mmCIF file of all heavy atoms in Angstrom:
data_model
loop_
_atom_site.group_PDB
_atom_site.id
_atom_site.type_symbol
_atom_site.label_atom_id
_atom_site.label_comp_id
_atom_site.label_asym_id
_atom_site.label_seq_id
_atom_site.Cartn_x
_atom_site.Cartn_y
_atom_site.Cartn_z
ATOM 1 N N PRO A 1 47.183 96.632 148.809
ATOM 2 C CA PRO A 1 47.209 96.477 150.256
ATOM 3 C C PRO A 1 48.040 97.534 150.982
ATOM 4 O O PRO A 1 47.641 98.037 152.006
ATOM 5 C CB PRO A 1 47.804 95.083 150.461
ATOM 6 C CG PRO A 1 47.770 94.411 149.151
ATOM 7 C CD PRO A 1 47.647 95.461 148.100
ATOM 8 N N ALA A 2 49.216 97.890 150.452
ATOM 9 C CA ALA A 2 50.067 98.860 151.146
ATOM 10 C C ALA A 2 49.412 100.232 151.204
ATOM 11 O O ALA A 2 49.391 100.880 152.247
ATOM 12 C CB ALA A 2 51.424 98.950 150.464
ATOM 13 N N GLU A 3 48.864 100.696 150.066
ATOM 14 C CA GLU A 3 48.216 101.999 150.039
ATOM 15 C C GLU A 3 46.969 102.006 150.909
ATOM 16 O O GLU A 3 46.695 102.973 151.600
ATOM 17 C CB GLU A 3 47.854 102.387 148.609
ATOM 18 C CG GLU A 3 49.053 102.718 147.752
ATOM 19 C CD GLU A 3 48.663 103.034 146.337
ATOM 20 O OE1 GLU A 3 47.651 103.717 146.130
ATOM 21 O OE2 GLU A 3 49.374 102.583 145.425
ATOM 22 N N ALA A 4 46.206 100.932 150.858
ATOM 23 C CA ALA A 4 44.980 100.858 151.654
ATOM 24 C C ALA A 4 45.309 100.884 153.132
ATOM 25 O O ALA A 4 44.653 101.582 153.909
ATOM 26 C CB ALA A 4 44.193 99.601 151.297
ATOM 27 N N SER A 5 46.343 100.149 153.549
ATOM 28 C CA SER A 5 46.679 100.139 154.969
ATOM 29 C C SER A 5 47.196 101.493 155.418
ATOM 30 O O SER A 5 46.924 101.926 156.531
ATOM 31 C CB SER A 5 47.688 99.033 155.282
ATOM 32 O OG SER A 5 48.904 99.268 154.614
ATOM 33 N N THR A 6 47.952 102.208 154.555
ATOM 34 C CA THR A 6 48.411 103.551 154.897
ATOM 35 C C THR A 6 47.232 104.504 154.993
ATOM 36 O O THR A 6 47.182 105.348 155.888
ATOM 37 C CB THR A 6 49.438 104.060 153.876
ATOM 38 O OG1 THR A 6 50.515 103.118 153.792
ATOM 39 C CG2 THR A 6 49.989 105.405 154.279
ATOM 40 N N ALA A 7 46.255 104.380 154.096
ATOM 41 C CA ALA A 7 45.071 105.233 154.156
ATOM 42 C C ALA A 7 44.334 105.018 155.472
ATOM 43 O O ALA A 7 43.917 105.970 156.131
ATOM 44 C CB ALA A 7 44.150 104.953 152.974
ATOM 45 N N TRP A 8 44.164 103.775 155.858
ATOM 46 C CA TRP A 8 43.487 103.493 157.135
ATOM 47 C C TRP A 8 44.358 103.915 158.315
ATOM 48 O O TRP A 8 43.845 104.391 159.325
ATOM 49 C CB TRP A 8 43.100 102.017 157.233
ATOM 50 C CG TRP A 8 41.850 101.744 156.462
ATOM 51 C CD1 TRP A 8 41.760 101.171 155.220
ATOM 52 C CD2 TRP A 8 40.509 102.080 156.843
ATOM 53 N NE1 TRP A 8 40.442 101.119 154.810
ATOM 54 C CE2 TRP A 8 39.653 101.673 155.793
ATOM 55 C CE3 TRP A 8 39.946 102.683 157.960
ATOM 56 C CZ2 TRP A 8 38.275 101.844 155.831
ATOM 57 C CZ3 TRP A 8 38.570 102.850 157.997
ATOM 58 C CH2 TRP A 8 37.759 102.437 156.950
ATOM 59 N N GLY A 9 45.684 103.792 158.180
ATOM 60 C CA GLY A 9 46.588 104.253 159.237
ATOM 61 C C GLY A 9 46.499 105.759 159.421
ATOM 62 O O GLY A 9 46.442 106.262 160.537
ATOM 63 N N ALA A 10 46.475 106.479 158.299
ATOM 64 C CA ALA A 10 46.345 107.935 158.373
ATOM 65 C C ALA A 10 45.008 108.312 158.993
ATOM 66 O O ALA A 10 44.936 109.230 159.817
ATOM 67 C CB ALA A 10 46.486 108.544 156.980
ATOM 68 N N ALA A 11 43.934 107.618 158.621
ATOM 69 C CA ALA A 11 42.615 107.906 159.198
ATOM 70 C C ALA A 11 42.619 107.622 160.694
ATOM 71 O O ALA A 11 42.024 108.373 161.474
ATOM 72 C CB ALA A 11 41.532 107.086 158.496
ATOM 73 N N SER A 12 43.307 106.564 161.128
ATOM 74 C CA SER A 12 43.318 106.235 162.556
ATOM 75 C C SER A 12 44.083 107.278 163.365
ATOM 76 O O SER A 12 43.782 107.497 164.531
ATOM 77 C CB SER A 12 43.898 104.840 162.786
ATOM 78 O OG SER A 12 45.284 104.823 162.527
ATOM 79 N N VAL A 13 45.074 107.954 162.741
ATOM 80 C CA VAL A 13 45.794 109.033 163.415
ATOM 81 C C VAL A 13 44.828 110.172 163.753
ATOM 82 O O VAL A 13 44.991 110.878 164.743
ATOM 83 C CB VAL A 13 46.963 109.529 162.533
ATOM 84 C CG1 VAL A 13 47.545 110.835 163.044
ATOM 85 C CG2 VAL A 13 48.038 108.469 162.449
ATOM 86 N N CYS A 14 43.794 110.331 162.933
ATOM 87 C CA CYS A 14 42.801 111.382 163.163
ATOM 88 C C CYS A 14 41.979 111.118 164.420
ATOM 89 O O CYS A 14 41.496 112.047 165.047
ATOM 90 C CB CYS A 14 41.872 111.500 161.958
ATOM 91 S SG CYS A 14 42.707 112.134 160.490
ATOM 92 N N GLY A 15 41.818 109.850 164.774
ATOM 93 C CA GLY A 15 41.061 109.497 165.968
ATOM 94 C C GLY A 15 40.040 108.413 165.677
ATOM 95 O O GLY A 15 39.885 107.964 164.539
ATOM 96 N N SER A 16 39.346 108.040 166.690
ATOM 97 C CA SER A 16 38.353 106.976 166.584
ATOM 98 C C SER A 16 37.201 107.388 165.668
ATOM 99 O O SER A 16 36.709 108.509 165.733
ATOM 100 C CB SER A 16 37.810 106.669 167.981
ATOM 101 O OG SER A 16 36.820 105.682 167.910
ATOM 102 N N GLY A 17 36.797 106.465 164.805
ATOM 103 C CA GLY A 17 35.631 106.691 163.958
ATOM 104 C C GLY A 17 35.905 107.353 162.625
ATOM 105 O O GLY A 17 34.994 107.556 161.836
ATOM 106 N N TYR A 18 37.156 107.700 162.323
ATOM 107 C CA TYR A 18 37.480 108.300 161.019
ATOM 108 C C TYR A 18 37.711 107.205 159.983
ATOM 109 O O TYR A 18 38.223 106.140 160.302
ATOM 110 C CB TYR A 18 38.738 109.169 161.110
ATOM 111 C CG TYR A 18 38.492 110.524 161.697
ATOM 112 C CD1 TYR A 18 38.552 110.728 163.069
ATOM 113 C CD2 TYR A 18 38.189 111.608 160.886
ATOM 114 C CE1 TYR A 18 38.326 111.978 163.616
ATOM 115 C CE2 TYR A 18 37.960 112.864 161.424
ATOM 116 C CZ TYR A 18 38.032 113.038 162.786
ATOM 117 O OH TYR A 18 37.805 114.278 163.340
ATOM 118 N N TRP A 19 37.328 107.487 158.743
ATOM 119 C CA TRP A 19 37.594 106.563 157.643
ATOM 120 C C TRP A 19 38.194 107.344 156.484
ATOM 121 O O TRP A 19 37.954 108.534 156.338
ATOM 122 C CB TRP A 19 36.335 105.808 157.215
ATOM 123 C CG TRP A 19 35.252 106.677 156.646
ATOM 124 C CD1 TRP A 19 35.126 107.096 155.353
ATOM 125 C CD2 TRP A 19 34.157 107.270 157.347
ATOM 126 N NE1 TRP A 19 34.005 107.890 155.208
ATOM 127 C CE2 TRP A 19 33.392 108.021 156.427
ATOM 128 C CE3 TRP A 19 33.726 107.230 158.683
ATOM 129 C CZ2 TRP A 19 32.251 108.714 156.781
ATOM 130 C CZ3 TRP A 19 32.587 107.927 159.037
ATOM 131 C CH2 TRP A 19 31.863 108.662 158.090
ATOM 132 N N PRO A 20 39.022 106.677 155.655
ATOM 133 C CA PRO A 20 39.634 107.347 154.505
ATOM 134 C C PRO A 20 38.570 107.836 153.534
ATOM 135 O O PRO A 20 37.600 107.138 153.256
ATOM 136 C CB PRO A 20 40.482 106.257 153.855
ATOM 137 C CG PRO A 20 40.604 105.184 154.864
ATOM 138 C CD PRO A 20 39.405 105.278 155.746
ATOM 139 N N LEU A 21 38.772 109.044 153.015
ATOM 140 C CA LEU A 21 37.820 109.631 152.084
ATOM 141 C C LEU A 21 38.464 109.969 150.741
ATOM 142 O O LEU A 21 37.870 109.784 149.702
ATOM 143 C CB LEU A 21 37.204 110.883 152.714
ATOM 144 C CG LEU A 21 36.019 111.518 152.041
ATOM 145 C CD1 LEU A 21 34.846 110.543 151.963
ATOM 146 C CD2 LEU A 21 35.594 112.763 152.817
ATOM 147 N N ASP A 22 39.714 110.452 150.779
ATOM 148 C CA ASP A 22 40.372 110.877 149.549
ATOM 149 C C ASP A 22 41.872 110.930 149.810
ATOM 150 O O ASP A 22 42.313 110.911 150.964
ATOM 151 C CB ASP A 22 39.847 112.247 149.124
ATOM 152 C CG ASP A 22 39.954 112.507 147.637
ATOM 153 O OD1 ASP A 22 40.692 111.773 146.947
ATOM 154 O OD2 ASP A 22 39.308 113.456 147.152
ATOM 155 N N GLN A 23 42.656 111.013 148.740
ATOM 156 C CA GLN A 23 44.100 111.126 148.887
ATOM 157 C C GLN A 23 44.706 111.738 147.640
ATOM 158 O O GLN A 23 44.108 111.709 146.571
ATOM 159 C CB GLN A 23 44.726 109.766 149.172
ATOM 160 C CG GLN A 23 44.601 108.771 148.035
ATOM 161 C CD GLN A 23 45.054 107.390 148.454
ATOM 162 O OE1 GLN A 23 44.564 106.845 149.431
ATOM 163 N NE2 GLN A 23 46.006 106.826 147.711
ATOM 164 N N HIS A 24 45.916 112.316 147.820
ATOM 165 C CA HIS A 24 46.639 112.901 146.691
ATOM 166 C C HIS A 24 48.132 112.710 146.935
ATOM 167 O O HIS A 24 48.657 113.098 147.980
ATOM 168 C CB HIS A 24 46.312 114.390 146.555
ATOM 169 C CG HIS A 24 46.930 115.000 145.350
ATOM 170 N ND1 HIS A 24 46.344 114.949 144.103
ATOM 171 C CD2 HIS A 24 48.112 115.635 145.174
ATOM 172 C CE1 HIS A 24 47.119 115.545 143.223
ATOM 173 N NE2 HIS A 24 48.198 115.969 143.849
ATOM 174 N N SER A 25 48.832 112.138 145.948
ATOM 175 C CA SER A 25 50.261 111.889 146.068
ATOM 176 C C SER A 25 51.056 113.165 145.812
ATOM 177 O O SER A 25 50.748 113.928 144.895
ATOM 178 C CB SER A 25 50.692 110.818 145.072
ATOM 179 O OG SER A 25 52.102 110.671 145.117
ATOM 180 N N LEU A 26 52.101 113.355 146.629
ATOM 181 C CA LEU A 26 53.034 114.472 146.444
ATOM 182 C C LEU A 26 54.422 113.959 146.077
ATOM 183 O O LEU A 26 55.408 114.664 146.245
ATOM 184 C CB LEU A 26 53.112 115.314 147.719
ATOM 185 C CG LEU A 26 51.837 115.991 148.169
ATOM 186 C CD1 LEU A 26 52.049 116.742 149.473
ATOM 187 C CD2 LEU A 26 51.313 116.923 147.099
ATOM 188 N N GLY A 27 54.507 112.734 145.611
ATOM 189 C CA GLY A 27 55.803 112.143 145.264
ATOM 190 C C GLY A 27 56.316 111.274 146.388
ATOM 191 O O GLY A 27 56.106 110.071 146.380
ATOM 192 N N ILE A 28 56.976 111.898 147.393
ATOM 193 C CA ILE A 28 57.512 111.103 148.497
ATOM 194 C C ILE A 28 56.571 111.072 149.708
ATOM 195 O O ILE A 28 56.903 110.482 150.735
ATOM 196 C CB ILE A 28 58.917 111.573 148.924
ATOM 197 C CG1 ILE A 28 58.884 112.971 149.540
ATOM 198 C CG2 ILE A 28 59.877 111.509 147.754
ATOM 199 C CD1 ILE A 28 60.181 113.361 150.219
ATOM 200 N N SER A 29 55.425 111.701 149.594
ATOM 201 C CA SER A 29 54.406 111.632 150.649
ATOM 202 C C SER A 29 53.033 111.644 149.991
ATOM 203 O O SER A 29 52.903 111.948 148.804
ATOM 204 C CB SER A 29 54.537 112.794 151.641
ATOM 205 O OG SER A 29 54.111 114.010 151.056
ATOM 206 N N THR A 30 52.044 111.303 150.786
ATOM 207 C CA THR A 30 50.659 111.330 150.309
ATOM 208 C C THR A 30 49.813 112.071 151.324
ATOM 209 O O THR A 30 49.925 111.820 152.530
ATOM 210 C CB THR A 30 50.110 109.905 150.110
ATOM 211 O OG1 THR A 30 50.938 109.228 149.162
ATOM 212 C CG2 THR A 30 48.679 109.932 149.596
#
C-alpha cells in the first residue's frame, strides 16, 4: 500500500490523467 500510494502520488504530481508506469529505487528516493 505505501509504495502504491507513492507511485500514484508521483503520477498525480505530473498532472491529470497520468498513471504509474515504472519505478526504480535509489536507496533514499525512488
Side-chain angles (χ1 to χ4, degrees):
E3 290 177 41
S5 64
T6 304
W8 280 102
S12 70
V13 167
C14 292
S16 178
Y18 281 88
W19 64 85
L21 191 60
D22 206 344
Q23 65 188 55
H24 185 85
S25 175
L26 298 178
I28 67 169
S29 72
T30 301

